[in-house]
Amino acid sequence: MGKKISMIALAAVTVLSLGLSACSESTDAGEKTGANSPAPNTQQEAAVQAIQQGTYKFDPPVTITTVKATDSTMKFKNGETMENNVHTKWAHDQLGIDLKFLWQVPGDQFNTKLRLMLTANESLPDVLMTMDGALMEELMQSGKYEDITADFEKYASPKVKQIYNSSPLNWQQVTIGGKKMALPNFRTAGNDNAVMWIRQDWLDKLGMKAPTTFEELETLMQAFLDKKPGGSDNVIPLGVSFGSGGSSPNPFASWLGETTWVFGPYGTVPYQWLEKDGKLVHGSTLPAMKDGLAKLKDWYNKGYISKEAGLQDENKLGELIAQGRVGVVVAPSWMSGWPQTDMQKNIPGSIMKPYPIPTLNGKAVAKDTTYLNGGLLVKKGFQHADALFLYLNRLFAGVNPDENSEFVNGWFKDYDYTIKSDGTLSSIDKDIPGGKVDPSKYFLMAPTDPFLGMTIRAKIARGETPVTPSEKKVAGGVKDGLIAARIVDDGWKAGIYVPQAYMGSSTPTMQSKQGILVKLEGDTFLSIIYGKKPVDEFDNFVKEWMSLGGENITKEVNEAYQKTKK
């Protein structure tokens, strides 16, 4: 996934460059402005307002303790360390907040160390960031961490509230019994959403138009086989990666060459929890799966899909695209970069263009990217939620900043960007004195608006005038990438992309049976597509899936889901 990660990182850089909780008077932000006696309500209100605006500064400074999972992308320069760097100095000087790291360990040791602390009942950090859903669930249920609902309402800035309240899904993973037990952490929404990319040079050579329906797509794929516009018998009309990897392999929802769009129009999304009549059902067990499997089986038999598709993961499919062998692939909006750039180097004149996914009986449906990624927890009894939100409010001002923002060019000069001698801005490694580092790696939480990147790119693709600095930078991006983003944004508005309905942690039966069930799904579905088993074998699969633990998982998931809605 190395190249994919690079593309994601590039998109992220583009966009970014783009009650009082205290229990005693001594920790009340409103009283910091006065002497030892309680301050008037007007002073307290002014302090809260300053915190929301990000203009407050604690004097004397307050301390926030935390712990850190490190990785190979975390780098330092100028002799700095995790506790003493450009970001910790900024927090101290600008906000009167001292960030103290109790410990830091490599990411693969982080969960174990925290669980040992919980077991030993050791003192935990004031705030804790984790991207692991299971660990977050344990911490939220431990009684050691706080309901932040009231503090969020009181201290969060309008921008922070707008971002976090922009979708009802945003809070689902961290809500227990109506209480917000953590501040959600986000990836980029829509990052892997389905866009149909087609060899435009092949279309032009055949004098054909891009397909809008399944029937037209089948006609095009047959033409690719019959007329060989690439001049070879090795053409693959539809690139798919049934051999996608990961801890929970899903042959239909890979980040390159996905096929959930084949099942969607029939009425399901494989490997995904869907809400039907107020209850959650597993998409892989719905009768509509048979129709999607039959369609893929038909395409496989006709040669539209590679005979080795079950062995091909996303990176292998990327190689086939780069070799110029693939005519159509359903892939993310960022495919205008890799692997297309490699294909164009290898095949002069080749180009893939983005189009909406095709419809069946007027319907187009596919999975939506899961963008919830853990969260930031606050220890019960922590006296400075006011300081935490001051810190977050100030950082979130760097998301789509205005012209006067301290973060208009990036996070910190000569770290993730520099101003060259001619006055121009550069974020290229070789231009930055001492090399480029990512200061957001030092943050308690990297501020993200999950929908911003896609919506800005879609706005520019529609011809709207760029206004903010981020919009102006995006306006210089690759045109086809902007068009692909518009397709995703249009799909959101049309309800084409269906999100995962259950974002809670693994249930007890999931933890013990999920691996068996996922293997059963993959083995059964691929056997049907390859013709080793009849399509009607699906009915036996559903019975076996339920008996092996699926029935209990469905019950547990629905119980957990209902709790998030109370």
Side-chain angles (χ1 to χ4, degrees):
M1 276 180 71
K3 292 188 176 181
K4 181 207 176 191
I5 292 172
S6 297
M7 290 304 303
I8 296 172
L10 178 60
V13 169
T14 301
V15 172
L16 283 175
S17 300
L18 299 179
L20 294 203
S21 63
C23 299
S24 66
E25 293 178 1
S26 63
T27 58
D28 190 322
E31 295 170 12
K32 294 285 180 183
T33 59
N36 292 328
S37 59
N41 287 338
T42 52
Q43 279 190 307
Q44 294 183 31
E45 292 170 0
V48 171
Q49 186 176 35
I51 287 170
Q52 293 173 347
Q53 295 171 345
T55 58
Y56 194 81
K57 182 177 180 180
F58 287 89
D59 185 16
V62 300
T63 298
I64 299 177
T65 63
T66 191
V67 293
K68 194 77 170 179
T70 60
D71 60 48
S72 60
T73 66
M74 189 175 292
K75 300 177 182 178
F76 297 95
K77 63 190 299 184
N78 304 327
E80 294 177 346
T81 64
M82 184 59 72
E83 284 203 337
N84 183 16
N85 56 62
V86 65
H87 177 65
T88 58
K89 291 174 183 175
W90 169 85
H92 175 87
D93 296 344
Q94 294 289 318
L95 309 176
I97 295 175
D98 290 328
L99 302 177
K100 182 178 180 181
F101 294 83
L102 301 181
W103 48 261
Q104 50 185 301
V105 296
D108 59 354
Q109 302 173 29
F110 185 79
N111 291 5
T112 299
K113 188 170 180 65
L114 270 173
R115 288 189 171 104
L116 288 173
M117 291 181 72
L118 272 176
T119 302
N121 202 28
E122 294 181 21
S123 179
L124 294 163
D126 297 328
V127 300
L128 169 64
M129 175 68 204
T130 178
M131 299 180 189
D132 185 283
L135 176 61
M136 185 173 69
E137 178 73 13
E138 290 177 42
L139 293 168
M140 290 191 300
Q141 297 282 6
S142 70
K144 303 288 187 180
Y145 283 87
E146 191 97 328
D147 169 15
I148 66 165
T149 307
D151 289 326
F152 178 84
E153 289 303 317
K154 186 162 194 175
Y155 294 121
S157 69
K159 173 178 268 191
V160 169
K161 287 181 178 177
Q162 183 275 320
I163 290 172
Y164 278 95
N165 295 331
S166 61
S167 169
L169 286 177
N170 290 356
W171 290 102
Q172 189 186 110
Q173 199 173 36
V174 300
T175 300
I176 299 178
K179 297 177 180 179
K180 296 177 172 68
M181 299 303 297
L183 193 69
N185 184 56
F186 301 128
R187 297 188 184 98
T188 301
N191 194 72
D192 293 343
N193 282 26
V195 175
M196 183 170 60
W197 293 82
I198 304 177
R199 281 288 295 269
Q200 188 67 44
D201 51 319
W202 289 6
L203 276 180
D204 295 342
K205 189 172 183 178
L206 296 175
M208 300 179 72
K209 294 183 178 180
T212 61
T213 66
F214 275 34
E215 292 81 5
E216 291 175 357
L217 174 62
E218 290 171 342
T219 299
L220 177 65
M221 292 191 294
Q222 189 63 50
F224 285 163
L225 283 180
D226 295 340
K227 300 182 181 179
K228 303 177 178 57
S232 169
D233 289 330
N234 291 326
V235 64
I236 301 172
L238 180 65
V240 301
S241 52
F242 288 150
S244 59
S247 58
S248 297
N250 177 342
F252 307 128
S254 52
W255 47 262
L256 185 67
E258 72 119 293
T259 49
T260 66
W261 56 276
V262 178
F263 298 86
Y266 293 111
T268 192
V269 180
Y271 288 79
Q272 189 161 302
W273 291 97
L274 308 170
E275 184 170 3
K276 300 282 188 180
D277 301 321
K279 293 184 178 181
L280 297 188
V281 294
H282 198 256
S284 292
T285 65
L286 295 180
M289 280 293 297
K290 293 176 70 172
D291 297 307
L293 290 169
K295 179 59 69 175
L296 286 175
K297 179 179 182 178
D298 178 54
W299 289 353
Y300 178 83
N301 290 338
K302 290 177 177 175
Y304 301 159
I305 296 171
S306 169
K307 299 300 181 184
E308 289 78 42
L311 302 175
Q312 294 165 357
D313 64 7
E314 295 92 339
N315 286 311
K316 179 59 180 179
L317 177 58
E319 292 177 11
L320 296 172
I321 293 170
Q323 293 167 11
R325 293 181 56 191
V326 177
V328 179
V329 63
V330 174
S333 62
W334 47 259
M335 213 193 87
S336 55
W338 181 84
Q340 168 144 241
T341 49
D342 288 352
M343 179 188 74
Q344 291 173 314
K345 291 176 185 176
N346 296 329
I347 316 293
S350 64
I351 182 73
M352 280 189 144
K353 293 284 188 179
Y355 294 94
I357 56 175
T359 63
L360 178 66
N361 298 324
K363 296 180 181 179
V365 179
K367 72 173 180 68
D368 200 4
T369 300
T370 298
Y371 61 89
L372 300 183
N373 192 30
L376 185 73
L377 298 99
V378 180
K379 187 170 71 172
K380 184 167 288 187
F382 176 52
Q383 299 293 296
H384 278 295
D386 47 6
L388 174 62
F389 277 99
L390 168 65
Y391 168 87
L392 294 172
N393 291 340
R394 188 71 166 261
L395 286 182
F396 269 87
V399 177
N400 197 19
D402 60 37
E403 294 283 0
N404 299 317
S405 170
E406 63 186 310
F407 302 124
V408 65
N409 295 320
W411 291 122
F412 295 102
K413 183 176 178 289
D414 293 337
Y415 284 80
D416 58 329
Y417 75 94
T418 193
I419 304 298
K420 297 167 65 174
S421 58
D422 61 2
T424 59
L425 173 73
S426 175
S427 58
I428 300 175
D429 183 80
K430 67 179 181 64
D431 291 337
I432 299 174
K436 183 176 183 177
V437 300
D438 180 3
S440 70
K441 295 288 184 178
Y442 317 150
F443 297 2
L444 296 179
M445 169 188 241
T448 305
D449 180 339
F451 298 99
L452 180 66
M454 205 67 68
T455 53
I456 282 182
R457 292 159 67 203
K459 174 181 177 179
I460 302 305
R462 295 187 182 104
E464 297 182 40
T465 302
V467 177
T468 69
S470 297
E471 292 170 356
K472 291 175 182 177
K473 290 172 184 175
V474 166
V478 178
K479 182 180 178 181
D480 286 339
L482 300 178
I483 293 172
R486 186 201 68 207
I487 290 170
V488 172
D489 193 53
D490 288 343
W492 274 333
K493 293 174 180 176
I496 287 174
Y497 301 113
V498 177
Q500 172 70 265
Y502 177 70
M503 289 303 302
S505 62
S506 294
T507 69
T509 310
M510 275 185 187
Q511 293 174 22
S512 61
K513 300 294 185 180
Q514 186 80 348
I516 297 173
L517 296 178
V518 168
K519 186 176 188 305
L520 175 65
E521 285 176 271
D523 290 347
T524 303
F525 296 159
L526 291 182
S527 293
I528 290 173
I529 292 170
Y530 294 158
K532 296 179 180 179
K533 293 181 179 180
V535 174
D536 286 342
E537 179 64 23
F538 173 80
D539 299 324
N540 293 327
F541 153 76
V542 174
K543 294 176 183 177
E544 189 173 1
W545 188 89
M546 289 293 183
S547 66
L548 287 175
E551 186 173 4
N552 283 340
I553 290 176
T554 303
K555 181 181 177 182
E556 293 167 351
V557 163
N558 274 282
E559 289 173 351
Y561 182 65
Q562 292 305 318
K563 288 180 182 178
T564 67
K565 302 177 76 173
K566 292 180 181 178

